[in-house]
Amino acid sequence: MFFQKEIETMNRKELEALQLERLKWTVDYCYKNVPFYTKKLDEAGVTADKIKSLSDIKYIPPTTKTDLRDNYPFGLFAKPMREIVRIHASSGTTGKPTVVGYTKHDLDLWSDCVARLATAAGATADDIVQISFGYGMFTGALGLHYGLEKIGATVVPNSSGNTEKALMFMRDFKTTALVATPSYALYMAETAKELQYPMSDYHLRLGLFGSEGCTPEMRTQIEKAWGLFATDNYGMSELMGPGVSGECEERDGLHFCEDYFLPEIVNPDTLEPLGEGEDGELLVTTLTKEGLPLLRYRTKDITRLNYQPCKCGRTGVRMDKVKGRSDDMLKIRGVNVFPSQIESVLVGTEKIGPHYQLVVRREGFADTLEVKVELIDGSVLDKYQEIEKLHNLIKHNLQTVLGIQCKVSLVEPKSLERFVGKANRILDLRGEKK
């Protein structure tokens, strides 16, 4: 069992002393080794010796994804390339990808973080774990791979795609744990039922899901479909990859690896610090990274922190499941709308599946939102009273949660796109000409 008791149950005073020591080291390390930070810290008048307490971090200017892209590919690396042993990169769907580099020390600590969180979720050396993240430049697959190997689990590096073969492996290997995006786990369950093998041929007991949000309602659907215990983990390529935080078996927030990462919650508009329990944007400072250290990285993720010890015995801070991203938030007629709010209404509603799409348009001077929802049984479309009743129910429930009216379209089964990687459910047509 991979349980780092000294760190995971450290009292708050000792942990904060460790964080302060590592924060000073990181500020000094960035100043001496990354010209971008030398200039930025000089302009802010911040040096390591001026950091007297953790709260002094507020004087350090935040780092953004734009900063990484502006210094593409290796401009923010703190080590020469001869000491960089691995490179990963984001997909770069909105411009140049963000590139991250790791020293051997970084990789060792990364696998420690993942091993720690996988163990907290219930993974053991007896598990056969099938990884259905895409292998490659994406950090998810290899991050989980090495962390799970560290705890002694048997890893099946299946990758994503070719779902029927993946399901064959799951049956034949008696796979006990699945690593995937929540949306792909649902798609795999859907395909498994179509193949008509009895579900007793599958032996999954644990899901280690990440890379995209998973509402409690979607988690229930996954657990019901597979008969497993689903947990969520959090990370991003810029910080390291998966392993920044993750749920334990209590599922009462995601335990943060605070000895390696220092979290803050700020107002996303003003960047002013917010108190414990307040929702805001998560900023993260790496405390031990050598290849790509980051100071106050703006994740754009909206969450909150809980500093109360967990029932599992671990004492570190926990973050809530991410409510949404500040840059994914839709503003419809002056109302802030997060896709996760819509998902919480849709998933689990009788007669509709877990697949949906959000279409945003501009009509006149106002933005409109259409929610496309996939039916489980297409024959319902021929039953006018039944379809009208379902349509009105969904529309009413959405208005209750969102506070605005939106268009609801019920569509044929399997007519919406499936995702083997991170789901992209928003179709923004506001820039298109009619």
Side-chain angles (χ1 to χ4, degrees):
M1 180 174 169
F2 193 91
F3 179 47
Q4 296 176 316
K5 185 176 180 179
E6 183 181 350
I7 289 293
E8 295 185 66
T9 62
M10 185 178 283
N11 71 53
R12 173 57 45 188
K13 188 175 181 181
E14 290 176 341
L15 181 55
E16 289 183 351
L18 176 64
Q19 288 178 316
L20 181 58
E21 178 187 332
R22 290 183 172 180
L23 175 60
K24 290 178 177 180
W25 175 85
T26 299
V27 171
D28 188 59
Y29 180 72
C30 286
Y31 185 85
K32 290 177 178 176
N33 295 284
V34 185
F36 166 83
Y37 278 126
T38 307
K39 181 173 183 291
K40 202 158 192 170
L41 291 168
D42 275 341
E43 289 173 351
V46 177
T47 53
D49 62 323
K50 290 187 177 180
I51 305 292
K52 305 296 185 185
S53 67
L54 290 177
S55 63
D56 289 339
I57 197 172
K58 65 187 176 186
Y59 300 117
I60 299 173
T63 307
T64 67
K65 180 169 282 195
T66 300
D67 294 328
L68 271 75
R69 287 182 173 148
D70 287 347
N71 288 277
Y72 173 89
F74 307 140
L76 292 188
F77 286 11
K79 288 286 188 183
M81 291 306 293
R82 67 177 179 274
E83 294 185 50
I84 299 293
V85 299
R86 173 95 64 80
I87 289 176
H88 281 286
S90 70
S91 59
T93 52
T94 57
K96 286 284 190 182
T98 52
V99 177
V100 292
Y102 305 78
T103 64
K104 187 178 185 306
H105 177 69
D106 291 336
L107 292 182
D108 288 341
L109 295 185
W110 186 9
S111 62
D112 274 0
C113 288
V114 174
R116 184 189 295 178
L117 297 175
T119 297
T124 73
D126 294 321
D127 278 305
I128 299 173
V129 187
Q130 197 154 319
I131 296 181
S132 288
F133 281 148
Y135 278 74
M137 299 303 279
F138 169 58
T139 56
L142 286 171
L144 269 298
H145 185 124
Y146 286 104
L148 287 161
E149 282 188 345
K150 180 162 274 192
I151 69 173
T154 303
V155 175
V156 182
N158 180 75
S159 196
S160 56
N162 202 340
T163 304
E164 289 191 23
K165 181 177 277 191
L167 292 167
M168 179 191 76
F169 288 149
M170 288 172 70
R171 295 190 301 270
D172 295 347
F173 297 170
K174 294 182 169 50
T175 301
T176 59
L178 174 65
V179 172
T181 62
S183 54
Y184 190 50
L186 278 173
Y187 176 63
M188 293 178 82
E190 186 178 72
T191 306
K193 288 174 183 173
E194 290 172 359
L195 294 175
Q196 297 185 339
Y197 288 91
M199 292 307 284
S200 58
D201 283 0
Y202 298 94
H203 299 81
L204 290 180
R205 69 168 195 89
L206 177 65
L208 300 168
F209 301 122
S211 185
E212 66 183 26
C214 182
T215 60
E217 292 79 11
M218 180 176 276
R219 180 171 69 190
T220 299
Q221 289 281 313
I222 296 170
E223 291 185 327
K224 185 178 178 182
W226 280 117
L228 53 70
F229 180 77
T231 64
D232 198 6
N233 61 77
Y234 174 84
M236 56 177 52
S237 298
E238 299 93 312
L239 298 176
M240 176 178 70
V244 174
S245 68
E247 288 182 309
C248 68
E249 291 174 282
E250 295 291 334
R251 293 198 305 202
D252 186 20
L254 284 73
H255 290 271
F256 227 87
C257 290
E258 280 193 277
D259 48 330
Y260 299 140
F261 302 98
L262 179 61
E264 304 170 71
I265 298 294
V266 302
N267 181 309
D269 297 320
T270 66
L271 300 182
E272 287 298 311
L274 296 176
E276 180 180 349
E278 292 189 83
D279 285 334
E281 182 182 341
L282 176 68
L283 270 58
V284 180
T285 296
T286 64
L287 296 176
T288 56
K289 277 189 72 179
E290 295 179 339
L292 180 69
L294 291 177
L295 299 174
R296 306 191 78 207
Y297 185 70
R298 293 193 65 176
T299 67
K300 299 287 187 176
D301 290 325
I302 304 298
T303 183
R304 61 181 176 177
L305 299 177
N306 178 2
Y307 286 88
Q308 298 304 309
C310 181
K311 290 178 184 176
C312 73
R314 294 172 178 85
T315 53
V317 70
R318 286 163 287 149
M319 60 179 272
D320 278 7
K321 279 176 173 285
V322 172
K323 182 178 180 181
R325 289 180 58 80
S326 60
D327 52 1
D328 275 352
M329 183 181 72
L330 303 171
K331 197 149 194 169
I332 308 296
R333 297 190 293 280
V335 176
N336 295 337
V337 175
F338 288 101
S340 59
Q341 294 174 292
I342 296 171
E343 183 177 294
S344 69
V345 172
L346 300 179
V347 177
T349 299
E350 195 175 346
K351 298 180 183 177
I352 67 170
H355 305 286
Y356 62 94
Q357 184 180 54
L358 311 180
V359 184
V360 186
R361 298 181 177 89
R362 177 154 294 151
E363 296 180 4
F365 296 100
D367 292 336
T368 64
L369 174 64
E370 177 186 7
V371 181
K372 291 186 176 182
V373 189
E374 197 173 272
L375 292 163
I376 293 174
D377 180 2
S379 66
V380 176
L381 288 168
D382 298 325
K383 301 172 183 176
Y384 176 76
Q385 286 188 325
E386 194 172 336
I387 203 74
E388 184 179 35
K389 184 179 178 181
L390 180 59
H391 175 274
N392 290 340
L393 172 67
I394 295 170
K395 191 168 184 178
H396 170 77
N397 289 346
L398 285 171
Q399 184 172 359
T400 300
V401 170
L402 304 180
I404 59 168
Q405 283 195 350
C406 55
K407 180 181 177 181
V408 174
S409 299
L410 301 174
V411 300
E412 292 274 4
K414 295 195 170 180
S415 60
L416 297 179
E417 184 179 358
R418 276 19 178 195
F419 300 92
V420 297
K422 187 180 292 188
N424 180 16
R425 303 192 189 278
I426 302 173
L427 180 60
D428 193 340
L429 302 178
R430 285 175 290 189
E432 292 194 358
K433 294 181 180 179
K434 293 186 177 180

